[in-house]
């Protein structure tokens, strides 16, 4: 894999890419949707870690298309009746793959390190449920968390949203929607987010192939999620929103060897230009997805610790 040997790539990322190549698995966009979902689950089982011990509870929220499955994580040392700040988590997977198991390690670890509640949202997936179904589920979950905060053990005045990749896209769109709806948020955590379905930024060409997520995979994901809708709709492309003023403070993580790097960088820059407090963490030596692969990626633990510090600062201020 010549491109994976490009100067500056983290050695752990090289090892993961070599493992992917050795598996012989076809790229996701050449698989059926069920095969792709199985492949994502398998990769997380191989490269992930078991979640640390926390309190877990499965819950349901009402959504526009029916019930939405949620999973609540709380630190073991905090009594169930003590209201905690919370983050709603929207998983990655191209809006087409992923489930509650996808974010189990991440949510439990962040709940433990930040001392907060994490509410993971099993939103509806394309192609069965294309845009805006998943986003509407995420907003319904956010409204549920605020409305039923006391029953959930959540402090309604200290709520953040966050997600990785497609989940970062959903979190950014939720933050904009929440601003317009008058639902204050304490933070938005955007992990290598999709922010622009209109334009393929330069990083699509620079990192088109050889780094795990490819440009062709992203085109497959984007096409299925869009399902013919206007890609300039800010709910799909937050970077195209008419204005970003007044949205929640942002923590944005981007990776140098990621096709999505350009649009993530551009969104962080636009937020800052709009006067939104932004902390932009650029992992120049990393590939897309590294945060969810803690078994082989030492940078995953460091990134998670940085995120926990940011959430503590925003949610316990």
């Amino acid at each position: 894999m010549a491109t994976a040997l490009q100067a500056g790539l983290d050695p752990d990322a090289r090892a993961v890419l070599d493992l992917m190549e050795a598996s012989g698995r076809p790229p996701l966009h050449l698989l059926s949707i069920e095969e792709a979902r199985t492949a994502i689950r398998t990769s997380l089982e191989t490269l992930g870690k078991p979640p640390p011990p926390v309190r877990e509870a499965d819950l349901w929220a009402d959504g526009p298309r029916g019930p939405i499955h949620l999973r609540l994580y709380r630190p073991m040392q905090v009594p169930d009746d003590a209201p905690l700040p919370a983050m709603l988590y929207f998983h990655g997977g191209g809006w087409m793959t992923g489930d509650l198991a996808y974010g189990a390690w991440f949510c439990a670890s962040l709940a433990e390190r930040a001392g907060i509640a994490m509410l993971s949202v099993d939103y509806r997936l394309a192609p069965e449920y294309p845009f805006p179904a998943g986003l509407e589920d995420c907003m319904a979950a956010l409204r549920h968390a605020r409305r039923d905060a006391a029953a959930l053990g959540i402090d309604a005045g200290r709520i953040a949203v966050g997600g990785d990749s497609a989940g970062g896209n959903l979190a950014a769109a939720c933050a904009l929607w929440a601003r317009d709806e008058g639902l204050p948020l304490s933070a938005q955590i955007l992990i290598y987010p999709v922010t622009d379905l209109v334009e393929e930024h330069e990083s699509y060409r620079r990192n088109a192939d050889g780094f795990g997520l490819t440009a062709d995979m992203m085109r497959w994901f984007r096409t299925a999620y869009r399902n013919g809708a206007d890609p300039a709709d800010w709910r799909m492309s937050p970077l195209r929103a008419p204005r970003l003023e007044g949205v929640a403070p942002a923590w944005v993580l981007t990776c140098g060897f990621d096709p999505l790097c350009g649009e993530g960088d551009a969104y962080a820059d636009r937020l800052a230009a709009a006067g939104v407090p932004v902390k932009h963490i650029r992992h120049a030596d990393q590939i897309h997805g590294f945060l969810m692969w803690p078994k082989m990626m030492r940078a995953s633990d460091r990134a998670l610790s940085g995120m926990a510090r940011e959430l503590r600062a925003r949610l316990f201020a």
Side-chain angles (χ1 to χ4, degrees), residues 259-278:
L260 304 183
C261 181
E263 60 197 89
D265 291 348
Y267 197 61
D269 290 345
R270 249 205 91 193
L271 286 167
V276 177
V278 178

Side-chain angles (χ1 to χ4, degrees), residues 7-137:
L9 185 64
D10 174 40
D12 290 348
R14 291 181 183 176
V16 168
L17 293 170
D18 289 344
L19 185 65
M20 290 179 178
E21 185 176 39
S23 74
R25 188 198 76 195
L28 292 182
H29 66 285
L30 299 181
L31 302 175
S32 71
I33 184 59
E34 289 307 323
E35 289 171 335
R37 288 169 180 166
T38 298
I40 292 296
R41 285 193 293 269
T42 300
S43 67
L44 289 169
E45 290 167 1
T46 302
L47 299 171
K49 286 182 178 180
V54 292
R55 288 190 174 93
E56 293 184 24
D58 283 312
L59 313 165
W60 296 88
D62 292 331
R65 292 168 179 80
I68 306 162
H69 193 183
L70 312 173
R71 185 165 294 159
L72 180 66
Y73 299 81
R74 291 174 62 89
M76 291 290 289
Q77 66 272 21
V78 179
D80 285 337
D81 59 354
L84 282 174
M87 180 176 118
L88 274 75
Y89 167 69
F90 312 131
H91 66 76
W95 307 280
M96 296 172 69
T97 73
D99 51 24
L100 291 177
Y102 178 109
W105 170 83
F106 174 81
C107 288
S109 298
L110 199 51
E112 181 185 60
R113 295 192 193 191
I116 64 173
M118 293 288 294
L119 191 62
S120 185
V121 181
D122 195 18
Y123 59 87
R124 285 167 175 80
L125 299 175
E128 297 92 338
Y129 297 96
F131 172 85
L135 175 60
E136 289 177 345
D137 279 352

Side-chain angles (χ1 to χ4, degrees), residues 131-276:
F131 172 85
L135 175 60
E136 289 177 345
D137 279 352
C138 293
M139 275 304 297
L142 175 57
R143 296 184 191 106
H144 172 79
R146 287 185 57 85
R147 183 181 61 248
D148 296 342
L152 296 170
I154 288 174
D155 182 342
R158 295 185 290 170
I159 294 179
V161 294
D164 56 305
S165 193
N169 170 271
L170 296 169
C174 278
L176 286 162
W177 198 337
R179 175 203 63 188
D180 294 346
E181 204 168 289
L183 301 177
L185 293 174
S186 297
Q188 53 179 319
I189 303 296
L190 310 180
I191 305 163
Y192 28 81
V194 184
T195 67
D196 190 5
L197 273 70
V198 174
E199 177 186 350
E200 291 187 356
H201 293 243
E202 186 276 332
S203 54
Y204 262 75
R205 296 181 290 278
R206 187 176 72 249
N207 302 318
D209 193 22
F211 301 107
L213 178 67
T214 69
D216 284 341
M217 286 182 206
M218 276 308 305
R219 292 173 188 129
W220 182 58
F221 290 142
R222 287 159 53 135
T223 299
Y225 182 56
R226 275 186 56 202
N227 194 37
D230 179 7
D233 187 325
W234 64 262
R235 297 173 301 164
M236 194 184 314
S237 296
L239 186 61
R240 303 289 165 167
R243 64 183 189 90
L244 299 182
E245 289 81 2
V247 298
W251 187 92
V252 184
L253 183 153
T254 58
C255 301
F257 292 91
D258 180 0
L260 304 183
C261 181
E263 60 197 89
D265 291 348
Y267 197 61
D269 290 345
R270 249 205 91 193
L271 286 167
V276 177

Side-chain angles (χ1 to χ4, degrees), residues 105-106 110 113 189 191-192 251 253 255 281 283 286 290-292 297-311:
W105 170 83
F106 174 81
L110 199 51
R113 295 192 193 191
I189 303 296
I191 305 163
Y192 28 81
W251 187 92
L253 183 153
C255 301
I281 310 299
H283 288 262
Q286 282 303 335
F290 82 94
L291 187 66
M292 298 301 173
M297 304 290 288
R298 285 166 288 189
S300 172
D301 187 77
R302 295 192 295 271
L304 189 74
S305 293
M307 198 181 311
R309 287 193 297 272
E310 179 70 11
L311 284 166

